[in-house]
Amino acid sequence: MPSLKTLRNRIASVKSTQKITSAMKMVAASKLRRAQSQAEAARPYAERMERMMASLGASVAGSPTAPKLLVGTGADKVHLLIPVTADRGLAGAFNSNIGRLTRNIAQRLEAEGRTVKILAVGRKGRDYLKREMASRLVGDISYAGRKSIGFADAEDIALRATAMLHAGEFDVCTVIYNKYVSVIAQIPTEMRLIPAPVPDVAPATEASGAQILYEYEPDEETMLARLLPQNMAIQIYRALLESAAGEHGARMSAMDNATRNAGDMIKRLSQTYNRARQANITRELIEIISGAEAL
Amino acid sequence: MPVDLEIVSPEKLLLSRPVDMVVIPAAEGEMGVLVNHSPMIVLLRGGTIRLYEGNTIVDQLFVTGGFAEVTQARVTVLANEATPVRELTKAEGQSRLAAADAAYAAADKNDIVVLDLLMDRQQSARAMIEAAAA
């Protein structure tokens, strides 16, 4: 039976832990709101980009001179995986889900006789993959200590991947990130980046419902060569934003759970404390009474 | 009849308003767009987008490049950044030009894709200086 003093100390310590977790939950909630509005603001550009891609991609896809970003190198030997994780922990299974999915994909690809390279985005993912599969890691990017991510960050990643593609370092590129569904649900998702999947939306239509035939200036191929890297950066940007929103959502629910657990623990501990206190009083009373009887 | 102009950056919708005419800096020369223009997708270079109401310019925005989609009723400009011309400074343009020149000098002269990109950056920096001076 622990003494009353140690029980009191434990209760105090659990109480301060609870204060911290509930504060972290509040912070995560407000960051989540910001991340959500950032993701929302990015949507118009992505939508319009997708529309252009759809009409352009369809007209060029078949040609033999189509750019590498669209059709890949034609081979399927070396895969580059880009797992996107957070820079901080305490977000439930948010980071380890990505780590695990990356490992599974890598193992599956290797079992099929392909080579895997990993470019880790985010500190947690890098740490995990360094332990698990250090030999495949070719680089890492981290935004630790930064307030928010901008489009320039996504462009950086896209440039790096493009440079690697042109240097012939990989054939297929896949981004693995947590897709934000709701505060309590983030789904680890793989999204192929190169060769670029041509979006499957119907070509833009005006109110009349008729399909529009665009003229291109300059020609389709020059246009596509410019549009593709931009589209890639946009896809990465979207993944980064979804992942950021997911991170805060995951942290929010993790911290909510922690706060509740701390509450339960405080309840249990104070019950033990009260019982011990009463036992003490009873014992003292018995001692006094039996002392008096002995006289 | 006005044409709806939208300027969108990856981070947000920057501007959305009807104008009588818009002049966009297309890669192959400036292009004035009125309503009922034939549908086009054009590449943009660094330059100024001018918004007209009647015959007067109501707003001028500098873009560093991007794309524009023109349909009969709508012009959508996808730009990485768009700054009102009066907020441009010559110094900013010059520092960008210096950075672009340095990157060009350091780049691999056989990599046409990268060189092309860097030349665009130089052009856009020069256009910025010009726009700031005007």
Side-chain angles (χ1 to χ4, degrees):
Chain A
M1 193 72 183
S3 75
L4 286 181
K5 187 161 189 320
T6 50
L7 275 175
R8 257 200 312 272
N9 284 344
R10 288 233 25 217
I11 293 174
S13 110
V14 175
K15 262 188 187 154
S16 55
T17 307
Q18 188 187 31
K19 268 184 203 147
I20 293 173
T21 56
S22 84
M24 280 181 79
K25 183 190 153 193
M26 306 286 220
V27 172
S30 83
K31 280 191 176 161
L32 172 67
R33 240 191 324 271
R34 202 176 329 141
Q36 268 174 327
S37 67
Q38 204 184 348
E40 211 135 283
R43 204 160 296 152
Y45 193 98
E47 272 168 10
R48 287 165 180 90
M49 184 61 106
E50 205 159 81
R51 217 164 52 201
M52 281 194 200
M53 276 294 294
S55 71
L56 256 172
S59 65
V60 180
S63 98
T65 51
K68 268 190 187 176
L69 281 176
L70 184 66
V71 293
T73 53
D76 186 22
K77 277 237 128 343
V78 187
H79 283 244
L80 177 73
L81 302 179
I82 307 183
V84 181
T85 55
D87 287 316
R88 288 165 207 238
L90 291 181
F94 181 83
N95 292 317
S96 46
N97 277 345
I98 291 293
R100 202 170 324 126
L101 181 63
T102 309
R103 200 185 55 200
N104 290 346
I105 293 175
Q107 279 167 352
R108 195 190 67 216
L109 288 171
E110 278 172 359
E112 289 167 5
R114 305 202 164 91
T115 317
V116 173
K117 292 180 178 179
I118 295 174
L119 174 67
V121 177
R123 211 173 54 190
K124 285 286 157 186
R126 182 200 62 191
D127 292 350
Y128 177 88
L129 293 162
K130 226 178 204 166
R131 281 198 304 275
E132 297 278 329
M133 28 187 45
S135 57
R136 284 81 153 188
L137 211 59
V138 292
D140 64 82
I141 295 164
S142 142
Y143 306 113
R146 290 265 300 277
K147 261 238 161 82
S148 65
I149 37 173
F151 181 63
D153 300 317
E155 256 183 332
D156 271 353
I157 301 176
L159 274 180
R160 228 163 127 170
T162 315
M164 281 175 78
L165 179 73
H166 285 297
E169 288 178 42
F170 67 86
D171 303 312
V172 177
C173 175
T174 311
V175 175
I176 301 164
Y177 71 104
N178 271 306
K179 197 183 174 83
Y180 179 86
V181 181
S182 73
V183 178
I184 47 164
Q186 297 86 32
I187 301 174
T189 312
E190 43 182 314
M191 173 178 78
R192 205 184 50 184
L193 215 55
I194 304 168
V198 174
D200 200 22
V201 294
T205 49
E206 286 292 80
S208 63
Q211 283 195 3
I212 299 180
L213 282 175
Y214 288 103
E215 276 176 58
Y216 299 98
E217 184 191 299
D219 60 289
E220 282 103 317
E221 285 187 22
T222 322
M223 200 70 195
L224 199 61
R226 288 309 173 79
L227 206 58
L228 279 169
Q230 189 72 15
N231 184 53
M232 190 166 133
I234 284 290
Q235 299 294 340
I236 295 175
Y237 185 55
R238 199 162 68 182
L240 288 180
L241 289 181
E242 292 237 355
S243 169
E247 177 199 344
H248 297 308
R251 179 162 302 122
M252 209 174 119
S253 50
M255 287 302 121
D256 188 47
N257 269 336
T259 309
R260 214 159 340 150
N261 282 345
D264 289 349
M265 198 160 191
I266 290 171
K267 222 175 180 176
R268 263 205 314 277
L269 281 174
S270 20
Q271 220 164 46
T272 324
Y273 173 78
N274 287 340
R275 218 170 277 155
R277 194 176 59 92
Q278 284 215 320
N280 261 354
I281 294 168
T282 319
R283 202 185 57 229
E284 273 168 29
L285 275 177
I286 291 173
E287 272 166 14
I288 293 168
I289 294 166
S290 53
E293 271 176 358
L295 281 178
Chain B
M1 254 236 312
V3 46
D4 287 323
L5 173 70
E6 271 182 353
I7 301 180
V8 205
S9 84
E11 277 152 20
K12 60 176 192 258
L13 183 68
L14 292 170
L15 181 133
S16 172
R17 63 178 284 185
V19 290
D20 288 332
M21 177 173 86
V22 55
V23 175
I24 53 178
E28 298 180 345
E30 294 211 329
M31 196 171 123
V33 182
L34 292 160
V35 78
N36 283 332
H37 194 285
S38 74
M40 283 185 96
I41 291 179
V42 294
L43 188 66
L44 303 184
R45 57 178 167 72
T48 316
I49 298 180
R50 288 193 292 275
L51 281 58
Y52 282 82
E53 245 159 47
N55 282 325
T56 51
I57 298 176
V58 286
D59 209 351
Q60 296 193 67
L61 291 149
F62 179 82
V63 289
T64 52
F67 311 93
E69 181 194 19
V70 179
T71 62
Q72 300 199 333
R74 207 155 30 82
V75 178
T76 311
V77 175
L78 302 185
N80 279 359
E81 45 179 328
T83 351
V85 164
R86 59 184 173 282
E87 285 171 21
L88 286 178
T89 61
K90 230 175 167 175
E92 165 78 17
Q94 264 149 357
S95 76
R96 282 192 192 205
L97 183 59
D101 282 343
Y104 187 82
D108 174 10
K109 294 288 179 289
N110 293 319
D111 194 343
I112 303 167
V113 181
V114 173
L115 287 185
D116 215 27
L117 196 84
L118 290 172
M119 266 160 75
D120 277 358
R121 237 182 251 174
Q122 288 174 317
Q123 183 275 327
S124 133
R126 275 189 216 109
M128 193 171 191
I129 297 174
E130 225 171 84

